[in-house]
Amino acid sequence: MEGKGIDGKLDKSEQSCEEISHLSIDIGGTLIKIVYFSTNSKCSTSDEVPALSKERQEVPNGDLNHHILSGRLYFVKFETSKIEDCIKFLSSKKLQQCVITGAQCHHSHAVDKIKIKATGGGAFKFANLFKEKLGITLDKVEEMESLVTGANFLLKAVSHEAYTYIGGQKEYVQIDQKDLYPYLLVNIGSGVSMIKVDGDGKFQRVSGTSVGGGTFLGLGKLLTKCQSFDELLELSHQGNNRVIDMLVGDIYGGLDYSKIGLASTAIASSFGKAISENKELEDYKPEDIARSLLRMISNNIGQIAYLNALRFGLKRIFLGGFFIRDHAYTMDTISVAVDFWSKGEAKAMFLRHEGFLGALGAFMNYKDGNADFMAPQLVEQQPPKSSSCIVDRIHNSTRVHENENGAIDCRLRVSSSFKIYDEVKRL
Amino acid sequence: MEGKGIDGKLDKSEQSCEEISHLSIDIGGTLIKIVYFSTNSKCSTSDEVPALSKERQEVPNGDLNHHILSGRLYFVKFETSKIEDCIKFLSSKKLQQCVITGAQCHHSHAVDKIKIKATGGGAFKFANLFKEKLGITLDKVEEMESLVTGANFLLKAVSHEAYTYIGGQKEYVQIDQKDLYPYLLVNIGSGVSMIKVDGDGKFQRVSGTSVGGGTFLGLGKLLTKCQSFDELLELSHQGNNRVIDMLVGDIYGGLDYSKIGLASTAIASSFGKAISENKELEDYKPEDIARSLLRMISNNIGQIAYLNALRFGLKRIFLGGFFIRDHAYTMDTISVAVDFWSKGEAKAMFLRHEGFLGALGAFMNYKDGNADFMAPQLVEQQPPKSSSCIVDRIHNSTRVHENENGAIDCRLRVSSSFKIYDEVKRL
């Protein structure tokens, strides 16, 4: 395992030892998410991770036009407002060395034909920047399609990917691939998209809300002066929303409003207590504000998700996007909201690689033979089921689970015509 | 018309000339709403309003046990946090003089049997306060029931009550009483209740959200230092939400995300722009903040309302509660949200007496013969249709519409056994 954190901060020591073959990028309103495949996992000082073969292997089905590369999928993110960091990161990678010294590469394509798969609005907004700074063309993949492809991949290929969070307990869900569809995918980025997924490539964006992660951080920064999402989450952890939220009991003199099933502790009005008190912003603890805000947004998303699941008779709601971040209170609020409104009929499930659905989906879009630069496919060890993109889990599922940075060990089937730096170096 | 504003501020001059017979109260988390019937409309200096008979009239159907009182329904509100003002207001009224000098009244009931109809959580919370300060027992009427009764009354009895707001145009809707049900009633108070209404007394609270008027004012106060709802609304009128909201175009480099029907100007993330800019709260104009906040909340309510209407196949959504206040931008946002999400299938309609549904419903709860203190019924001039509580519009509907304070001219049918101050005084 490399020393690189998920936030894209790098040690100098590791910059030289990484060989990236395939990389995709998802540029959202707040965050840039990158997924890349690297054959080099040995340069880490950690000896927790077993060596992975960098050698080509014959593909079991005897397809001589393809090789097998063993390696890992890595996940990195940057703030979109600090896109220069992302550019630097890409510059530091051998992928980039290949790209910017394109003449050294063994393929005959001009630099301007070098493409990486990209999704999210930033694939449009920053297309020129990537061209100018890196000579890379962003090969755009539609955002919803990417999210769905990424989610389907994770749900089918990675066990210990989806989990419920009930009563403080995280429980991994084993997904029966035959019974995966339909489901509701709720992707909570800056804003929220809700997508009904019926199969591979079969989906419809049915709803969404502008009250999402961007609202949490945006309002949170204005109200608490916090500078980061994680800082705000940490604050909320220590807060008490009852200080600011108007509860049913505050209106009903401490009583439940039992006739309509509202406990005295239910929130009647988010931030409603701030109305009547002669307090200013400075008089409230940032912790309490962060908590009220998190609960308001999480609950609202849970409710709208449930209403959409109900609309289409969907029992399972999978939540992705970088809002949740394994945060207990967020998951608890969303789970309780879905459970409350659906009277236990629907279940909220969270994804371990939540923030990388779009980037993973774009990665899967590298199709055999129709890309100038890359043409891999993920290969599975077991015979394919419904997906052509099944991860090959080398370690047992617990191992995958315990991998802190969420890296996924896998093998790629690579077209022989596909040129990567690793190959170039050997020539 | 009296000089009294809807906010319960009184001239000293008018305190002596009002004769209230029936009064009901709705005590919410933020506001106290009062509806009362007065036979005395002549003490105003305004001569816009014709004299209304204070004399008893024989009931046309020859019911000798009842009288007809002509007068007006008035609507007043107070802030719940300033409940002392409400107590003073009630003390200043002749109703109150009758109550607190109960011994002078001609009826034999002890003071502690004097009741007024009351709804909202405050009917529980402040029951003792009303008893101690005024000697009044609050006769509780269930909150949802009151809202529905009030809405049904207005929709059936008052023409020019409901209107749509589309493209800046207010258009009154003539409701066919035979085709009124079912509808979705969305009451936006501090929090929001959504009620499916199927008939008189036939309803179910199907949803709600804690993101309501209390959130607007609570968050608005914290963010802008505004001290009142109306001040905040006025601010929002001058603001530009695009300064703080992250639009689709901000993510997509100015482009629409046309594949999923999102224009570049659609809000992708409410308050999302505050994430990436090195600005603090003080660097934003309060006007812009107020506008973003109003749009976020209005849009969210419109969306959840639509999803609930869809669930039950309801085409009409009536919006009540004191959030809207005839505010163009609020109505426009909610209307557009409902139109957008329903693809034009559902319609948002607003109510002129929006904030008084609960208080009106409690008022209607004075039933003939089973109240110690009051037993009126509203009387209609036309033969009754489906409701027993039809307002008797003395003026034409335009007149009702133009009455600024929303007072409704009507006649009450009053049981002969019912004692009011007006009667007491004559003895």
Side-chain angles (χ1 to χ4, degrees):
Chain A
M1 191 166 68
E2 296 182 56
K4 173 173 44 57
I6 205 164
D7 280 316
K9 287 167 192 152
L10 295 171
D11 296 330
K12 280 187 183 172
S13 62
E14 60 184 341
Q15 293 194 12
S16 61
C17 64
E18 195 161 35
E19 290 158 2
I20 293 178
S21 63
H22 310 79
L23 181 145
S24 63
I25 189 164
D26 173 8
I27 312 177
T30 310
L31 292 172
I32 298 173
K33 286 78 65 173
I34 288 176
V35 173
Y36 65 91
F37 178 81
S38 171
T39 54
N40 192 338
S41 310
K42 281 289 284 176
C43 55
S44 169
T45 53
S46 163
D47 55 6
E48 280 180 46
V49 180
L52 297 172
S53 167
K54 283 197 284 179
E55 302 308 313
R56 295 178 188 180
Q57 297 171 11
E58 288 304 309
V59 177
N61 66 6
D63 179 351
L64 297 178
N65 291 322
H66 291 84
H67 315 292
I68 293 293
L69 293 174
S70 290
R72 268 190 176 166
L73 284 176
Y74 289 94
F75 303 89
V76 197
K77 68 178 163 67
F78 300 88
E79 290 178 34
T80 306
S81 61
K82 297 175 183 166
I83 195 165
E84 292 298 331
D85 290 350
C86 172
I87 300 280
K88 275 181 209 158
F89 171 81
L90 291 174
S91 293
S92 76
K93 292 292 170 190
K94 288 179 180 168
L95 166 77
Q96 175 49 23
Q97 290 173 30
C98 173
V99 171
I100 58 174
T101 60
Q104 295 170 27
C105 290
H106 203 248
H107 58 80
S108 58
H109 302 299
V111 169
D112 67 358
K113 284 204 171 173
I114 293 168
K115 292 180 182 174
I116 60 173
K117 295 289 179 182
T119 189
F124 295 84
K125 183 174 181 177
F126 297 110
N128 287 341
L129 186 73
F130 275 76
K131 194 77 165 182
E132 286 164 19
K133 299 263 184 176
L134 298 168
I136 289 178
T137 298
L138 299 182
D139 188 16
K140 295 169 196 73
V141 187
E142 200 273 325
E143 189 174 340
M144 297 302 124
E145 183 190 326
S146 297
L147 290 171
V148 170
T149 305
N152 282 347
F153 164 72
L154 290 168
L155 290 170
K156 288 178 186 172
V158 184
S159 64
H160 290 76
E161 177 63 32
Y163 57 93
T164 56
Y165 191 88
I166 297 166
Q169 292 295 314
K170 191 184 270 196
E171 192 170 318
Y172 281 91
V173 178
Q174 292 308 314
I175 308 285
D176 178 355
Q177 293 192 25
K178 288 177 195 148
D179 190 32
L180 174 60
Y181 306 112
Y183 67 84
L184 187 73
L185 177 61
V186 178
N187 194 68
I188 315 175
S190 307
V192 183
S193 283
M194 300 192 184
I195 309 167
K196 176 173 173 267
V197 182
D198 292 303
D200 274 332
K202 289 169 69 180
F203 63 89
Q204 185 193 356
R205 185 186 193 271
V206 293
S207 200
T209 165
S210 71
V211 187
T215 313
F216 179 58
L217 182 52
L219 268 178
K221 276 179 86 167
L222 296 179
L223 289 164
T224 70
K225 299 192 195 298
C226 260
Q227 288 308 306
S228 77
F229 200 99
D230 290 326
E231 197 186 334
L232 195 59
L233 270 184
E234 179 56 34
L235 262 189
S236 77
H237 192 62
Q238 305 153 30
N240 178 2
N241 72 298
R242 298 181 187 188
V243 175
I244 304 179
D245 289 342
M246 185 187 283
L247 308 185
V248 167
D250 293 325
I251 303 176
Y252 272 76
L255 302 174
D256 295 341
Y257 185 0
S258 46
K259 185 155 183 189
I260 58 171
L262 292 178
S264 65
T265 53
I267 300 174
S269 177
S270 293
F271 288 90
K273 245 180 216 159
I275 288 178
S276 52
E277 294 180 355
N278 292 324
K279 284 185 179 178
E280 301 203 348
L281 181 55
E282 298 69 33
D283 301 321
Y284 288 99
K285 285 164 67 181
E287 293 88 333
D288 298 336
I289 289 175
R291 183 87 164 201
S292 290
L293 194 57
L294 183 61
R295 184 134 180 207
M296 177 179 88
I297 293 171
S298 302
N299 194 49
N300 196 60
I301 292 170
Q303 182 179 12
I304 295 177
Y306 154 70
L307 285 167
N308 279 290
L310 185 71
R311 232 174 119 181
F312 300 106
L314 311 173
K315 300 287 184 204
R316 282 181 300 196
I317 300 170
F318 292 105
L319 294 115
F322 254 126
F323 176 67
I324 295 164
R325 301 182 186 211
D326 207 37
H327 192 262
Y329 189 64
T330 311
M331 296 190 292
D332 190 62
T333 305
I334 292 177
S335 298
V336 166
V338 168
D339 187 71
F340 173 83
W341 290 108
S342 75
K343 298 189 171 72
E345 285 286 301
K347 278 250 170 316
M349 284 179 271
F350 306 94
L351 299 175
R352 215 162 58 81
H353 293 88
E354 53 176 19
F356 292 98
L357 304 187
L360 265 171
F363 192 95
M364 302 299 153
N365 197 266
Y366 285 115
K367 293 276 168 41
D368 215 3
N370 66 359
D372 289 309
F373 182 52
M374 300 173 179
Q377 279 189 304
L378 286 168
V379 171
E380 57 169 4
Q381 286 187 312
Q382 303 297 318
K385 289 171 187 167
S386 57
S387 167
S388 63
C389 302
I390 303 292
V391 88
D392 174 1
R393 270 172 287 110
I394 289 173
H395 308 300
N396 67 44
S397 52
T398 309
R399 178 77 198 90
V400 171
H401 172 206
E402 287 175 355
N403 185 328
E404 264 182 31
N405 288 346
I408 297 176
D409 299 324
C410 63
R411 293 188 298 164
L412 290 191
R413 188 173 65 165
V414 184
S415 161
S416 297
S417 64
F418 171 67
K419 312 295 178 189
I420 57 169
Y421 183 69
D422 188 42
E423 292 177 70
V424 172
K425 202 171 57 172
R426 289 157 197 259
L427 291 168
Chain B
M1 189 167 69
E2 295 181 55
K4 172 171 45 56
I6 206 163
D7 279 316
K9 286 167 194 153
L10 296 171
D11 296 330
K12 278 186 184 173
S13 62
E14 61 185 340
Q15 294 193 11
S16 60
C17 64
E18 195 160 35
E19 290 159 1
I20 293 177
S21 62
H22 311 79
L23 181 145
S24 63
I25 189 164
D26 174 8
I27 312 177
T30 310
L31 292 171
I32 299 173
K33 286 78 66 174
I34 289 176
V35 173
Y36 66 90
F37 178 81
S38 171
T39 54
N40 191 338
S41 309
K42 281 289 284 176
C43 56
S44 168
T45 53
S46 164
D47 55 6
E48 280 180 45
V49 180
L52 298 172
S53 166
K54 282 198 284 180
E55 302 308 312
R56 294 176 187 182
Q57 297 172 10
E58 289 304 308
V59 176
N61 67 5
D63 179 352
L64 297 177
N65 292 322
H66 291 85
H67 315 293
I68 293 292
L69 292 174
S70 290
R72 268 190 176 166
L73 284 177
Y74 290 94
F75 303 89
V76 198
K77 68 179 163 66
F78 302 86
E79 290 178 35
T80 306
S81 60
K82 297 174 183 167
I83 196 164
E84 291 299 330
D85 290 349
C86 171
I87 301 279
K88 276 181 209 156
F89 171 81
L90 292 174
S91 294
S92 76
K93 293 292 170 190
K94 288 179 182 170
L95 165 79
Q96 175 50 22
Q97 288 172 33
C98 173
V99 171
I100 57 173
T101 59
Q104 294 170 28
C105 290
H106 203 246
H107 58 80
S108 59
H109 301 300
V111 169
D112 66 359
K113 284 203 171 175
I114 294 168
K115 291 178 181 175
I116 60 172
K117 295 289 179 183
T119 190
F124 295 83
K125 182 173 181 178
F126 297 111
N128 287 341
L129 185 73
F130 276 75
K131 194 76 165 186
E132 286 163 19
K133 298 264 185 179
L134 297 167
I136 288 177
T137 299
L138 299 182
D139 188 16
K140 296 170 195 73
V141 187
E142 200 273 324
E143 190 174 338
M144 299 301 125
E145 183 189 326
S146 297
L147 290 171
V148 170
T149 306
N152 282 346
F153 164 72
L154 290 168
L155 289 170
K156 287 179 186 173
V158 184
S159 65
H160 290 76
E161 178 63 32
Y163 57 93
T164 56
Y165 191 88
I166 296 166
Q169 293 295 314
K170 192 185 270 197
E171 192 170 318
Y172 281 91
V173 178
Q174 293 308 314
I175 308 285
D176 178 356
Q177 294 192 24
K178 289 175 193 148
D179 191 32
L180 174 60
Y181 308 111
Y183 66 85
L184 186 73
L185 178 61
V186 177
N187 194 68
I188 315 175
S190 307
V192 183
S193 283
M194 301 193 184
I195 309 167
K196 176 175 173 266
V197 182
D198 291 302
D200 275 332
K202 289 168 69 179
F203 63 89
Q204 186 193 355
R205 185 185 192 272
V206 292
S207 199
T209 165
S210 70
V211 187
T215 313
F216 179 59
L217 182 53
L219 268 178
K221 278 178 85 166
L222 296 180
L223 289 164
T224 71
K225 300 195 193 299
C226 259
Q227 288 307 305
S228 77
F229 199 100
D230 290 325
E231 196 185 334
L232 194 59
L233 270 185
E234 180 55 33
L235 263 188
S236 77
H237 192 61
Q238 303 153 31
N240 177 4
N241 72 297
R242 297 182 186 188
V243 176
I244 305 178
D245 289 341
M246 185 187 285
L247 307 186
V248 167
D250 293 325
I251 303 176
Y252 272 77
L255 302 173
D256 295 341
Y257 186 0
S258 46
K259 185 154 184 188
I260 58 172
L262 291 178
S264 65
T265 52
I267 300 174
S269 176
S270 294
F271 288 89
K273 245 181 217 158
I275 288 178
S276 52
E277 294 180 354
N278 291 324
K279 285 185 178 180
E280 300 206 348
L281 182 55
E282 298 69 33
D283 301 320
Y284 288 99
K285 284 164 67 181
E287 293 86 334
D288 298 335
I289 290 176
R291 183 87 163 198
S292 290
L293 195 58
L294 183 62
R295 184 133 182 208
M296 176 180 89
I297 293 171
S298 301
N299 194 49
N300 196 60
I301 292 170
Q303 182 180 12
I304 296 177
Y306 154 71
L307 284 168
N308 278 290
L310 184 72
R311 230 174 120 181
F312 299 106
L314 310 173
K315 300 285 185 203
R316 282 179 300 196
I317 300 170
F318 292 105
L319 293 116
F322 254 126
F323 175 68
I324 295 162
R325 300 181 186 211
D326 207 36
H327 191 263
Y329 191 62
T330 311
M331 295 190 292
D332 189 62
T333 305
I334 292 177
S335 297
V336 167
V338 168
D339 186 70
F340 173 84
W341 290 108
S342 75
K343 298 189 172 72
E345 285 286 301
K347 278 249 171 314
M349 283 178 273
F350 306 94
L351 299 176
R352 216 161 57 82
H353 293 88
E354 53 177 19
F356 292 99
L357 305 186
L360 266 170
F363 192 95
M364 301 300 154
N365 198 266
Y366 286 115
K367 291 277 168 42
D368 214 4
N370 66 1
D372 289 308
F373 181 52
M374 300 172 179
Q377 281 189 304
L378 286 169
V379 170
E380 58 168 3
Q381 286 186 310
Q382 303 297 317
K385 289 173 186 163
S386 58
S387 166
S388 62
C389 302
I390 304 291
V391 89
D392 175 359
R393 272 172 285 112
I394 289 174
H395 307 301
N396 66 44
S397 52
T398 309
R399 178 76 197 90
V400 170
H401 171 207
E402 287 175 355
N403 185 326
E404 265 183 28
N405 287 347
I408 296 175
D409 300 323
C410 63
R411 293 188 297 163
L412 291 190
R413 188 173 64 166
V414 183
S415 161
S416 297
S417 63
F418 172 66
K419 312 296 177 187
I420 56 169
Y421 183 67
D422 187 42
E423 292 176 70
V424 171
K425 200 173 56 171
R426 289 157 197 260
L427 290 169

